[in-house]
Amino acid sequence: MSAPAKPGDKSAPAKPTGRGLADQLAKLGLARDADLVLHLPLRYEDHTRLVPLASLSPGLAVQTEGVIVNTDVQYRPRRQLVCLIADPRQRDAQLVLRFFTFYPSQQKALAPGNRLRVFGDVRPGHFGLEIVHPQFKVVAEDSPLPDRLTPVYPTTAGLSQETLRKLVARTLAADPALTAETLPESMVARRKLWKFGDAVAFLHAPPPRLSELTQRALDARTHPAWTRLKFDELLAQQLSLKAHRRARSQRRAPVLTGSGALTRRLLERVPFTLTRAQQRVWREIAHDLKRASPMQRLLQGDVGCGKTIVAALAALQAIESGKQVAFMAPTEILAEQHYRKLVSWLEGIDVAVAWLSGSVPAKERRKAREALASGATPFAIGTHALFQEGVELPNLGLAIIDEQHRFGVAQRLALRGKGQAEAHQLMMSATPIPRTLAMTFYADLDVSAIDEMPPGRMAVATRMVNQKRRAEIVAWVGKACAEGRQAYWVCPLIEESEKLELQTAVALHAELTAALPTLAVGLLHGRMKPDEKTATMAAFVDGRIAVLVATTVIEVGVDVPNASIMVIEHAERFGLSQLHQLRGRVGRGAAESTCVLLFEEPLGEVAKMRLKVIFENNDGFEIARQDLVIRGPGEFLGAKQSGVPLLRFADLERDVALIEQARDAAETLLAQEPEAAAAHLERWLGGRAEFIRA
């Protein structure tokens, strides 16, 4: 192993020798010795005892031993290596070992007469009990057994458990500094935590003969050793985010006091009054914009709660202050909808607005860029095109990013960095953030929530319908649309797939066109040309299309008040967030609205859970909470784009108390023990700045 190193020393590689091994370790995120220390087992196997062959029973994972009677390669029903072992003292006590993939070296080791020690799940077979692909090794009679439980680690292809076990054990023995305490003794004692070194040693190599209670706690990750590691992990996350917040407070951004003239005129023009929640959130944002440190605020709210008007007010406060504003959305349909809505609200108010997207003709795009570069146009709305090279916003004061989780860290930085000074940033999300997520992954942001719906917004009725009743739904949609209503019909794919036998948008459009000959049926999907998508959406908005067949390009932001029916094809294939967003496309007008979840049986357990949640709930916050439970934070956030380290050990539902403790401890460490805070961060993050949110 490498030379001894301080905890978290980036110069201490986790590999002993060999580029191939280093690459395999890198896939697991193991670049340093400290990473191996924190590479904790998924579970444990009990290799401390042998179960006699005669005492085996199906359904158990056990270790047993016997002498090989014969080994044979069979070809039916497919090629496999079959080995029979028996107890020499009781020849009728036998076990079949079955290998569907094997190597010459394995076949050689499984020669008749060799004594094997095997571990695996016992199951009934055609010729008695068997284990498929057991762990095995050739041993001498009376070979000693391990005195501790055997850890099973997360691994990758080509990296064996045995190699990982040896690496971890060698690393732990090589340098006591790797398990030294980073936290003040008073903090550990006050919270009755195990010492770090004791916790790590216990988790990598638990002692044998644990009590049933201790074994359950170990398996459930509620044992005090796990509690210490979870606390340390949450503390590192809190330290990184709080350090980022402190650093941000030292940076400078333009002070956007505004005059109030444009914001007052906008509020006079729009045909509605802000809800109390909108007013509260607007005051929070307006206060932030008047400060010299850059705002990084997340504006969250359920579908249809009215986030766009608050963003518009923020934009006008920046423009009143002589600054430019960039408003970016992830899809062209959503960005264009924002553009049209904002232009209609700003009509009669002297504010020039530029529209930038990939579909804008070159001549118009060049003209818009020139106006933005000169400062003549203060307001830019668009897609990813806003942060591309060639777009200059020299006076940028505020960047507004809708559906922020769909953009990567680099993209958000590219937009924010368009100005000569650092811009304020307002991020919006229609996927409400559960409380535990807000306390952890969003702890560095100021979070505002619009938790009140505009008056008159009715709840959407949700129906679950089996595909067997499809014809009834087609007839019902046809009747409703013939009476003047409009419908979305959404499906997840746009062309045939051999793997997923799903109804596709193209085929569905043909089906509904034939089934509803008196109605105009439109088609909208991501592979259409931008001008085709715009024309189709405009026709639907104007009522010239009665039924719009679409993929999830209409998931967010699309606002057609007359559309009161949403049919979701193969609803079991969608995530909870998507289902809730799609349902939110209806219920925006005076008519009673319905969302039909068409599902195909049989349903998997996760699909059943998702459909049950969406059927029983209209509250986006509760749906988001249950979505977090089902999917975990990695998928919920979009792990690749979150910009903060994902939790490996702590559970956001079960470990709320630890989250609270870690928040308090982080404040204490940063204020009173900055060296301890730095050492703790180094152990857990290794100075990897890319983990800090941009």
PDB file of all heavy atoms in Angstrom, residues 28 30 36-44 150-156 159-169 172 200-201 203-206:
ATOM      1  N   LEU A  28     -15.616   3.427  -8.581  1.00  0.00           N
ATOM      2  CA  LEU A  28     -16.320   3.430  -7.298  1.00  0.00           C
ATOM      3  C   LEU A  28     -16.082   4.725  -6.520  1.00  0.00           C
ATOM      4  O   LEU A  28     -16.539   4.866  -5.390  1.00  0.00           O
ATOM      5  CB  LEU A  28     -15.865   2.238  -6.451  1.00  0.00           C
ATOM      6  CG  LEU A  28     -16.162   0.846  -7.025  1.00  0.00           C
ATOM      7  CD1 LEU A  28     -15.469  -0.221  -6.186  1.00  0.00           C
ATOM      8  CD2 LEU A  28     -17.663   0.599  -7.067  1.00  0.00           C
ATOM      9  N   LEU A  30     -13.090   5.745  -5.529  1.00  0.00           N
ATOM     10  CA  LEU A  30     -12.039   5.481  -4.545  1.00  0.00           C
ATOM     11  C   LEU A  30     -10.698   5.939  -5.094  1.00  0.00           C
ATOM     12  O   LEU A  30      -9.995   5.207  -5.767  1.00  0.00           O
ATOM     13  CB  LEU A  30     -11.999   3.983  -4.209  1.00  0.00           C
ATOM     14  CG  LEU A  30     -13.334   3.376  -3.744  1.00  0.00           C
ATOM     15  CD1 LEU A  30     -13.203   1.888  -3.503  1.00  0.00           C
ATOM     16  CD2 LEU A  30     -13.844   4.084  -2.498  1.00  0.00           C
ATOM     17  N   LEU A  36     -11.214   4.596   0.822  1.00  0.00           N
ATOM     18  CA  LEU A  36     -11.368   3.180   1.169  1.00  0.00           C
ATOM     19  C   LEU A  36     -11.877   3.020   2.598  1.00  0.00           C
ATOM     20  O   LEU A  36     -12.676   2.130   2.892  1.00  0.00           O
ATOM     21  CB  LEU A  36     -10.038   2.445   1.010  1.00  0.00           C
ATOM     22  CG  LEU A  36      -9.705   1.938  -0.395  1.00  0.00           C
ATOM     23  CD1 LEU A  36      -8.269   1.438  -0.454  1.00  0.00           C
ATOM     24  CD2 LEU A  36     -10.673   0.837  -0.816  1.00  0.00           C
ATOM     25  N   VAL A  37     -11.418   3.879   3.493  1.00  0.00           N
ATOM     26  CA  VAL A  37     -11.890   3.827   4.877  1.00  0.00           C
ATOM     27  C   VAL A  37     -13.406   4.032   4.931  1.00  0.00           C
ATOM     28  O   VAL A  37     -14.112   3.390   5.716  1.00  0.00           O
ATOM     29  CB  VAL A  37     -11.176   4.897   5.727  1.00  0.00           C
ATOM     30  CG1 VAL A  37     -11.799   4.998   7.117  1.00  0.00           C
ATOM     31  CG2 VAL A  37      -9.690   4.581   5.832  1.00  0.00           C
ATOM     32  N   LEU A  38     -13.912   4.911   4.063  1.00  0.00           N
ATOM     33  CA  LEU A  38     -15.338   5.236   4.056  1.00  0.00           C
ATOM     34  C   LEU A  38     -16.138   4.382   3.082  1.00  0.00           C
ATOM     35  O   LEU A  38     -17.337   4.608   2.897  1.00  0.00           O
ATOM     36  CB  LEU A  38     -15.525   6.720   3.701  1.00  0.00           C
ATOM     37  CG  LEU A  38     -14.936   7.709   4.703  1.00  0.00           C
ATOM     38  CD1 LEU A  38     -15.024   9.129   4.178  1.00  0.00           C
ATOM     39  CD2 LEU A  38     -15.636   7.587   6.053  1.00  0.00           C
ATOM     40  N   HIS A  39     -15.495   3.402   2.465  1.00  0.00           N
ATOM     41  CA  HIS A  39     -16.201   2.485   1.562  1.00  0.00           C
ATOM     42  C   HIS A  39     -16.764   1.351   2.413  1.00  0.00           C
ATOM     43  O   HIS A  39     -16.143   0.308   2.591  1.00  0.00           O
ATOM     44  CB  HIS A  39     -15.235   1.955   0.496  1.00  0.00           C
ATOM     45  CG  HIS A  39     -15.927   1.241  -0.635  1.00  0.00           C
ATOM     46  ND1 HIS A  39     -16.781   1.881  -1.497  1.00  0.00           N
ATOM     47  CD2 HIS A  39     -15.884  -0.059  -1.037  1.00  0.00           C
ATOM     48  CE1 HIS A  39     -17.237   1.024  -2.390  1.00  0.00           C
ATOM     49  NE2 HIS A  39     -16.714  -0.164  -2.118  1.00  0.00           N
ATOM     50  N   LEU A  40     -17.947   1.576   2.944  1.00  0.00           N
ATOM     51  CA  LEU A  40     -18.498   0.677   3.957  1.00  0.00           C
ATOM     52  C   LEU A  40     -19.329  -0.448   3.335  1.00  0.00           C
ATOM     53  O   LEU A  40     -19.874  -0.299   2.240  1.00  0.00           O
ATOM     54  CB  LEU A  40     -19.346   1.474   4.944  1.00  0.00           C
ATOM     55  CG  LEU A  40     -18.569   2.545   5.713  1.00  0.00           C
ATOM     56  CD1 LEU A  40     -19.495   3.314   6.637  1.00  0.00           C
ATOM     57  CD2 LEU A  40     -17.425   1.928   6.513  1.00  0.00           C
ATOM     58  N   PRO A  41     -19.437  -1.573   4.048  1.00  0.00           N
ATOM     59  CA  PRO A  41     -20.140  -2.740   3.494  1.00  0.00           C
ATOM     60  C   PRO A  41     -21.631  -2.499   3.277  1.00  0.00           C
ATOM     61  O   PRO A  41     -22.277  -1.732   4.002  1.00  0.00           O
ATOM     62  CB  PRO A  41     -19.921  -3.818   4.559  1.00  0.00           C
ATOM     63  CG  PRO A  41     -18.728  -3.373   5.340  1.00  0.00           C
ATOM     64  CD  PRO A  41     -18.798  -1.883   5.337  1.00  0.00           C
ATOM     65  N   LEU A  42     -22.157  -3.184   2.259  1.00  0.00           N
ATOM     66  CA  LEU A  42     -23.595  -3.193   2.023  1.00  0.00           C
ATOM     67  C   LEU A  42     -24.290  -4.137   2.997  1.00  0.00           C
ATOM     68  O   LEU A  42     -25.403  -3.895   3.437  1.00  0.00           O
ATOM     69  CB  LEU A  42     -23.896  -3.660   0.598  1.00  0.00           C
ATOM     70  CG  LEU A  42     -23.444  -2.759  -0.547  1.00  0.00           C
ATOM     71  CD1 LEU A  42     -23.540  -3.511  -1.862  1.00  0.00           C
ATOM     72  CD2 LEU A  42     -24.305  -1.499  -0.595  1.00  0.00           C
ATOM     73  N   ARG A  43     -23.615  -5.249   3.289  1.00  0.00           N
ATOM     74  CA  ARG A  43     -24.179  -6.272   4.162  1.00  0.00           C
ATOM     75  C   ARG A  43     -23.029  -7.179   4.627  1.00  0.00           C
ATOM     76  O   ARG A  43     -21.864  -6.917   4.294  1.00  0.00           O
ATOM     77  CB  ARG A  43     -25.247  -7.102   3.431  1.00  0.00           C
ATOM     78  CG  ARG A  43     -24.766  -7.730   2.144  1.00  0.00           C
ATOM     79  CD  ARG A  43     -25.904  -8.407   1.366  1.00  0.00           C
ATOM     80  NE  ARG A  43     -25.460  -8.864   0.063  1.00  0.00           N
ATOM     81  CZ  ARG A  43     -24.842 -10.011  -0.162  1.00  0.00           C
ATOM     82  NH1 ARG A  43     -24.605 -10.847   0.851  1.00  0.00           N
ATOM     83  NH2 ARG A  43     -24.468 -10.358  -1.381  1.00  0.00           N
ATOM     84  N   TYR A  44     -23.383  -8.226   5.356  1.00  0.00           N
ATOM     85  CA  TYR A  44     -22.374  -9.136   5.903  1.00  0.00           C
ATOM     86  C   TYR A  44     -22.804 -10.579   5.674  1.00  0.00           C
ATOM     87  O   TYR A  44     -23.999 -10.897   5.628  1.00  0.00           O
ATOM     88  CB  TYR A  44     -22.184  -8.890   7.400  1.00  0.00           C
ATOM     89  CG  TYR A  44     -21.812  -7.471   7.722  1.00  0.00           C
ATOM     90  CD1 TYR A  44     -22.807  -6.528   7.996  1.00  0.00           C
ATOM     91  CD2 TYR A  44     -20.494  -7.047   7.704  1.00  0.00           C
ATOM     92  CE1 TYR A  44     -22.487  -5.208   8.258  1.00  0.00           C
ATOM     93  CE2 TYR A  44     -20.160  -5.735   7.969  1.00  0.00           C
ATOM     94  CZ  TYR A  44     -21.161  -4.817   8.235  1.00  0.00           C
ATOM     95  OH  TYR A  44     -20.840  -3.507   8.481  1.00  0.00           O
ATOM     96  N   THR A 150     -18.066 -11.505   7.546  1.00  0.00           N
ATOM     97  CA  THR A 150     -17.375 -11.143   6.305  1.00  0.00           C
ATOM     98  C   THR A 150     -18.133 -10.021   5.595  1.00  0.00           C
ATOM     99  O   THR A 150     -19.317 -10.190   5.270  1.00  0.00           O
ATOM    100  CB  THR A 150     -17.269 -12.361   5.375  1.00  0.00           C
ATOM    101  OG1 THR A 150     -16.535 -13.388   6.053  1.00  0.00           O
ATOM    102  CG2 THR A 150     -16.564 -11.997   4.077  1.00  0.00           C
ATOM    103  N   PRO A 151     -17.497  -8.869   5.370  1.00  0.00           N
ATOM    104  CA  PRO A 151     -18.198  -7.749   4.730  1.00  0.00           C
ATOM    105  C   PRO A 151     -18.391  -7.977   3.228  1.00  0.00           C
ATOM    106  O   PRO A 151     -17.555  -8.595   2.569  1.00  0.00           O
ATOM    107  CB  PRO A 151     -17.254  -6.562   4.980  1.00  0.00           C
ATOM    108  CG  PRO A 151     -15.896  -7.189   5.076  1.00  0.00           C
ATOM    109  CD  PRO A 151     -16.103  -8.530   5.715  1.00  0.00           C
ATOM    110  N   VAL A 152     -19.500  -7.472   2.705  1.00  0.00           N
ATOM    111  CA  VAL A 152     -19.770  -7.474   1.260  1.00  0.00           C
ATOM    112  C   VAL A 152     -19.862  -6.018   0.827  1.00  0.00           C
ATOM    113  O   VAL A 152     -20.757  -5.284   1.267  1.00  0.00           O
ATOM    114  CB  VAL A 152     -21.068  -8.223   0.920  1.00  0.00           C
ATOM    115  CG1 VAL A 152     -21.335  -8.168  -0.585  1.00  0.00           C
ATOM    116  CG2 VAL A 152     -20.990  -9.672   1.404  1.00  0.00           C
ATOM    117  N   TYR A 153     -18.922  -5.591  -0.024  1.00  0.00           N
ATOM    118  CA  TYR A 153     -18.796  -4.174  -0.378  1.00  0.00           C
ATOM    119  C   TYR A 153     -19.453  -3.856  -1.718  1.00  0.00           C
ATOM    120  O   TYR A 153     -19.557  -4.732  -2.593  1.00  0.00           O
ATOM    121  CB  TYR A 153     -17.311  -3.795  -0.479  1.00  0.00           C
ATOM    122  CG  TYR A 153     -16.573  -3.820   0.831  1.00  0.00           C
ATOM    123  CD1 TYR A 153     -15.761  -4.901   1.176  1.00  0.00           C
ATOM    124  CD2 TYR A 153     -16.683  -2.763   1.724  1.00  0.00           C
ATOM    125  CE1 TYR A 153     -15.075  -4.932   2.383  1.00  0.00           C
ATOM    126  CE2 TYR A 153     -15.991  -2.777   2.935  1.00  0.00           C
ATOM    127  CZ  TYR A 153     -15.201  -3.860   3.258  1.00  0.00           C
ATOM    128  OH  TYR A 153     -14.530  -3.877   4.453  1.00  0.00           O
ATOM    129  N   PRO A 154     -19.849  -2.602  -1.922  1.00  0.00           N
ATOM    130  CA  PRO A 154     -20.218  -2.177  -3.278  1.00  0.00           C
ATOM    131  C   PRO A 154     -19.001  -2.356  -4.181  1.00  0.00           C
ATOM    132  O   PRO A 154     -17.875  -1.999  -3.793  1.00  0.00           O
ATOM    133  CB  PRO A 154     -20.548  -0.684  -3.107  1.00  0.00           C
ATOM    134  CG  PRO A 154     -20.775  -0.486  -1.646  1.00  0.00           C
ATOM    135  CD  PRO A 154     -19.922  -1.494  -0.948  1.00  0.00           C
ATOM    136  N   THR A 155     -19.195  -2.912  -5.364  1.00  0.00           N
ATOM    137  CA  THR A 155     -18.052  -3.145  -6.245  1.00  0.00           C
ATOM    138  C   THR A 155     -18.444  -2.908  -7.697  1.00  0.00           C
ATOM    139  O   THR A 155     -19.567  -2.481  -7.988  1.00  0.00           O
ATOM    140  CB  THR A 155     -17.472  -4.560  -6.037  1.00  0.00           C
ATOM    141  OG1 THR A 155     -16.230  -4.670  -6.737  1.00  0.00           O
ATOM    142  CG2 THR A 155     -18.423  -5.640  -6.507  1.00  0.00           C
ATOM    143  N   THR A 156     -17.534  -3.174  -8.594  1.00  0.00           N
ATOM    144  CA  THR A 156     -17.768  -2.992 -10.019  1.00  0.00           C
ATOM    145  C   THR A 156     -17.213  -4.201 -10.755  1.00  0.00           C
ATOM    146  O   THR A 156     -16.480  -5.013 -10.172  1.00  0.00           O
ATOM    147  CB  THR A 156     -17.100  -1.685 -10.514  1.00  0.00           C
ATOM    148  OG1 THR A 156     -17.495  -1.430 -11.856  1.00  0.00           O
ATOM    149  CG2 THR A 156     -15.580  -1.769 -10.437  1.00  0.00           C
ATOM    150  N   LEU A 159     -13.711  -6.346 -10.221  1.00  0.00           N
ATOM    151  CA  LEU A 159     -13.095  -6.085  -8.911  1.00  0.00           C
ATOM    152  C   LEU A 159     -13.761  -7.003  -7.892  1.00  0.00           C
ATOM    153  O   LEU A 159     -14.912  -6.802  -7.513  1.00  0.00           O
ATOM    154  CB  LEU A 159     -13.279  -4.617  -8.512  1.00  0.00           C
ATOM    155  CG  LEU A 159     -12.612  -4.171  -7.204  1.00  0.00           C
ATOM    156  CD1 LEU A 159     -11.118  -4.430  -7.227  1.00  0.00           C
ATOM    157  CD2 LEU A 159     -12.893  -2.688  -6.944  1.00  0.00           C
ATOM    158  N   SER A 160     -13.038  -8.021  -7.447  1.00  0.00           N
ATOM    159  CA  SER A 160     -13.620  -9.038  -6.584  1.00  0.00           C
ATOM    160  C   SER A 160     -13.768  -8.549  -5.149  1.00  0.00           C
ATOM    161  O   SER A 160     -13.070  -7.634  -4.706  1.00  0.00           O
ATOM    162  CB  SER A 160     -12.759 -10.302  -6.599  1.00  0.00           C
ATOM    163  OG  SER A 160     -11.532 -10.068  -5.911  1.00  0.00           O
ATOM    164  N   GLN A 161     -14.680  -9.207  -4.432  1.00  0.00           N
ATOM    165  CA  GLN A 161     -14.853  -8.899  -3.017  1.00  0.00           C
ATOM    166  C   GLN A 161     -13.567  -9.164  -2.243  1.00  0.00           C
ATOM    167  O   GLN A 161     -13.194  -8.406  -1.341  1.00  0.00           O
ATOM    168  CB  GLN A 161     -15.996  -9.743  -2.439  1.00  0.00           C
ATOM    169  CG  GLN A 161     -17.378  -9.296  -2.875  1.00  0.00           C
ATOM    170  CD  GLN A 161     -17.756  -7.940  -2.308  1.00  0.00           C
ATOM    171  OE1 GLN A 161     -17.341  -7.550  -1.215  1.00  0.00           O
ATOM    172  NE2 GLN A 161     -18.536  -7.194  -3.075  1.00  0.00           N
ATOM    173  N   GLU A 162     -12.882 -10.238  -2.596  1.00  0.00           N
ATOM    174  CA  GLU A 162     -11.658 -10.595  -1.886  1.00  0.00           C
ATOM    175  C   GLU A 162     -10.605  -9.500  -2.024  1.00  0.00           C
ATOM    176  O   GLU A 162      -9.918  -9.136  -1.060  1.00  0.00           O
ATOM    177  CB  GLU A 162     -11.115 -11.926  -2.421  1.00  0.00           C
ATOM    178  CG  GLU A 162     -10.090 -12.596  -1.523  1.00  0.00           C
ATOM    179  CD  GLU A 162     -10.620 -12.895  -0.132  1.00  0.00           C
ATOM    180  OE1 GLU A 162     -11.811 -13.214  -0.003  1.00  0.00           O
ATOM    181  OE2 GLU A 162      -9.822 -12.788   0.828  1.00  0.00           O
ATOM    182  N   THR A 163     -10.479  -8.940  -3.245  1.00  0.00           N
ATOM    183  CA  THR A 163      -9.514  -7.856  -3.462  1.00  0.00           C
ATOM    184  C   THR A 163      -9.880  -6.637  -2.630  1.00  0.00           C
ATOM    185  O   THR A 163      -9.022  -6.017  -1.981  1.00  0.00           O
ATOM    186  CB  THR A 163      -9.463  -7.483  -4.950  1.00  0.00           C
ATOM    187  OG1 THR A 163      -9.044  -8.625  -5.705  1.00  0.00           O
ATOM    188  CG2 THR A 163      -8.503  -6.329  -5.199  1.00  0.00           C
ATOM    189  N   LEU A 164     -11.159  -6.283  -2.628  1.00  0.00           N
ATOM    190  CA  LEU A 164     -11.604  -5.122  -1.853  1.00  0.00           C
ATOM    191  C   LEU A 164     -11.370  -5.331  -0.360  1.00  0.00           C
ATOM    192  O   LEU A 164     -10.923  -4.427   0.346  1.00  0.00           O
ATOM    193  CB  LEU A 164     -13.091  -4.863  -2.116  1.00  0.00           C
ATOM    194  CG  LEU A 164     -13.433  -3.850  -3.208  1.00  0.00           C
ATOM    195  CD1 LEU A 164     -14.935  -3.774  -3.425  1.00  0.00           C
ATOM    196  CD2 LEU A 164     -12.879  -2.469  -2.881  1.00  0.00           C
ATOM    197  N   ARG A 165     -11.680  -6.521   0.111  1.00  0.00           N
ATOM    198  CA  ARG A 165     -11.488  -6.803   1.543  1.00  0.00           C
ATOM    199  C   ARG A 165     -10.024  -6.648   1.946  1.00  0.00           C
ATOM    200  O   ARG A 165      -9.702  -6.059   2.986  1.00  0.00           O
ATOM    201  CB  ARG A 165     -11.988  -8.211   1.866  1.00  0.00           C
ATOM    202  CG  ARG A 165     -13.489  -8.348   1.833  1.00  0.00           C
ATOM    203  CD  ARG A 165     -13.923  -9.800   1.854  1.00  0.00           C
ATOM    204  NE  ARG A 165     -15.354  -9.926   1.605  1.00  0.00           N
ATOM    205  CZ  ARG A 165     -15.921 -10.963   1.013  1.00  0.00           C
ATOM    206  NH1 ARG A 165     -15.181 -12.001   0.617  1.00  0.00           N
ATOM    207  NH2 ARG A 165     -17.219 -11.003   0.815  1.00  0.00           N
ATOM    208  N   LYS A 166      -9.133  -7.162   1.116  1.00  0.00           N
ATOM    209  CA  LYS A 166      -7.707  -7.051   1.430  1.00  0.00           C
ATOM    210  C   LYS A 166      -7.241  -5.600   1.386  1.00  0.00           C
ATOM    211  O   LYS A 166      -6.465  -5.157   2.240  1.00  0.00           O
ATOM    212  CB  LYS A 166      -6.897  -7.898   0.444  1.00  0.00           C
ATOM    213  CG  LYS A 166      -7.039  -9.404   0.650  1.00  0.00           C
ATOM    214  CD  LYS A 166      -6.252 -10.180  -0.383  1.00  0.00           C
ATOM    215  CE  LYS A 166      -6.391 -11.691  -0.171  1.00  0.00           C
ATOM    216  NZ  LYS A 166      -5.678 -12.478  -1.219  1.00  0.00           N
ATOM    217  N   LEU A 167      -7.713  -4.831   0.388  1.00  0.00           N
ATOM    218  CA  LEU A 167      -7.324  -3.424   0.276  1.00  0.00           C
ATOM    219  C   LEU A 167      -7.782  -2.632   1.494  1.00  0.00           C
ATOM    220  O   LEU A 167      -7.019  -1.839   2.068  1.00  0.00           O
ATOM    221  CB  LEU A 167      -7.932  -2.812  -0.989  1.00  0.00           C
ATOM    222  CG  LEU A 167      -7.214  -3.053  -2.313  1.00  0.00           C
ATOM    223  CD1 LEU A 167      -8.042  -2.509  -3.459  1.00  0.00           C
ATOM    224  CD2 LEU A 167      -5.842  -2.387  -2.298  1.00  0.00           C
ATOM    225  N   VAL A 168      -9.047  -2.838   1.891  1.00  0.00           N
ATOM    226  CA  VAL A 168      -9.578  -2.091   3.031  1.00  0.00           C
ATOM    227  C   VAL A 168      -8.827  -2.464   4.307  1.00  0.00           C
ATOM    228  O   VAL A 168      -8.405  -1.588   5.074  1.00  0.00           O
ATOM    229  CB  VAL A 168     -11.090  -2.362   3.192  1.00  0.00           C
ATOM    230  CG1 VAL A 168     -11.597  -1.786   4.510  1.00  0.00           C
ATOM    231  CG2 VAL A 168     -11.868  -1.764   2.026  1.00  0.00           C
ATOM    232  N   ALA A 169      -8.640  -3.759   4.532  1.00  0.00           N
ATOM    233  CA  ALA A 169      -7.952  -4.202   5.747  1.00  0.00           C
ATOM    234  C   ALA A 169      -6.526  -3.671   5.794  1.00  0.00           C
ATOM    235  O   ALA A 169      -6.050  -3.201   6.845  1.00  0.00           O
ATOM    236  CB  ALA A 169      -7.955  -5.727   5.809  1.00  0.00           C
ATOM    237  N   LEU A 172      -6.602   0.169   6.573  1.00  0.00           N
ATOM    238  CA  LEU A 172      -6.914   0.458   7.971  1.00  0.00           C
ATOM    239  C   LEU A 172      -5.731   0.163   8.891  1.00  0.00           C
ATOM    240  O   LEU A 172      -5.493   0.878   9.870  1.00  0.00           O
ATOM    241  CB  LEU A 172      -8.130  -0.360   8.414  1.00  0.00           C
ATOM    242  CG  LEU A 172      -9.476   0.056   7.816  1.00  0.00           C
ATOM    243  CD1 LEU A 172     -10.552  -0.974   8.144  1.00  0.00           C
ATOM    244  CD2 LEU A 172      -9.891   1.427   8.341  1.00  0.00           C
ATOM    245  N   VAL A 200     -15.718   2.850  12.494  1.00  0.00           N
ATOM    246  CA  VAL A 200     -15.213   2.328  11.223  1.00  0.00           C
ATOM    247  C   VAL A 200     -14.730   0.890  11.382  1.00  0.00           C
ATOM    248  O   VAL A 200     -15.036   0.013  10.556  1.00  0.00           O
ATOM    249  CB  VAL A 200     -14.082   3.235  10.685  1.00  0.00           C
ATOM    250  CG1 VAL A 200     -13.302   2.542   9.583  1.00  0.00           C
ATOM    251  CG2 VAL A 200     -14.664   4.540  10.159  1.00  0.00           C
ATOM    252  N   ALA A 201     -13.984   0.619  12.452  1.00  0.00           N
ATOM    253  CA  ALA A 201     -13.468  -0.731  12.685  1.00  0.00           C
ATOM    254  C   ALA A 201     -14.614  -1.725  12.850  1.00  0.00           C
ATOM    255  O   ALA A 201     -14.581  -2.841  12.302  1.00  0.00           O
ATOM    256  CB  ALA A 201     -12.568  -0.740  13.920  1.00  0.00           C
ATOM    257  N   LEU A 203     -17.742  -1.486  11.674  1.00  0.00           N
ATOM    258  CA  LEU A 203     -18.526  -1.666  10.452  1.00  0.00           C
ATOM    259  C   LEU A 203     -17.775  -2.468   9.393  1.00  0.00           C
ATOM    260  O   LEU A 203     -18.390  -3.216   8.620  1.00  0.00           O
ATOM    261  CB  LEU A 203     -18.944  -0.304   9.882  1.00  0.00           C
ATOM    262  CG  LEU A 203     -19.957   0.465  10.737  1.00  0.00           C
ATOM    263  CD1 LEU A 203     -20.201   1.847  10.172  1.00  0.00           C
ATOM    264  CD2 LEU A 203     -21.271  -0.306  10.848  1.00  0.00           C
ATOM    265  N   HIS A 204     -16.459  -2.337   9.337  1.00  0.00           N
ATOM    266  CA  HIS A 204     -15.692  -3.122   8.368  1.00  0.00           C
ATOM    267  C   HIS A 204     -15.518  -4.571   8.827  1.00  0.00           C
ATOM    268  O   HIS A 204     -15.401  -5.468   7.970  1.00  0.00           O
ATOM    269  CB  HIS A 204     -14.313  -2.493   8.131  1.00  0.00           C
ATOM    270  CG  HIS A 204     -14.339  -1.316   7.198  1.00  0.00           C
ATOM    271  ND1 HIS A 204     -14.712  -1.431   5.877  1.00  0.00           N
ATOM    272  CD2 HIS A 204     -14.035  -0.010   7.405  1.00  0.00           C
ATOM    273  CE1 HIS A 204     -14.638  -0.238   5.300  1.00  0.00           C
ATOM    274  NE2 HIS A 204     -14.230   0.640   6.201  1.00  0.00           N
ATOM    275  N   ALA A 205     -15.504  -4.790  10.137  1.00  0.00           N
ATOM    276  CA  ALA A 205     -15.270  -6.153  10.636  1.00  0.00           C
ATOM    277  C   ALA A 205     -16.022  -6.371  11.940  1.00  0.00           C
ATOM    278  O   ALA A 205     -15.433  -6.358  13.026  1.00  0.00           O
ATOM    279  CB  ALA A 205     -13.771  -6.390  10.837  1.00  0.00           C
ATOM    280  N   PRO A 206     -17.355  -6.566  11.854  1.00  0.00           N
ATOM    281  CA  PRO A 206     -18.126  -6.785  13.083  1.00  0.00           C
ATOM    282  C   PRO A 206     -17.710  -8.084  13.768  1.00  0.00           C
ATOM    283  O   PRO A 206     -17.357  -9.058  13.086  1.00  0.00           O
ATOM    284  CB  PRO A 206     -19.574  -6.889  12.586  1.00  0.00           C
ATOM    285  CG  PRO A 206     -19.567  -6.343  11.202  1.00  0.00           C
ATOM    286  CD  PRO A 206     -18.204  -6.589  10.657  1.00  0.00           C
TER     287      PRO A 206
END
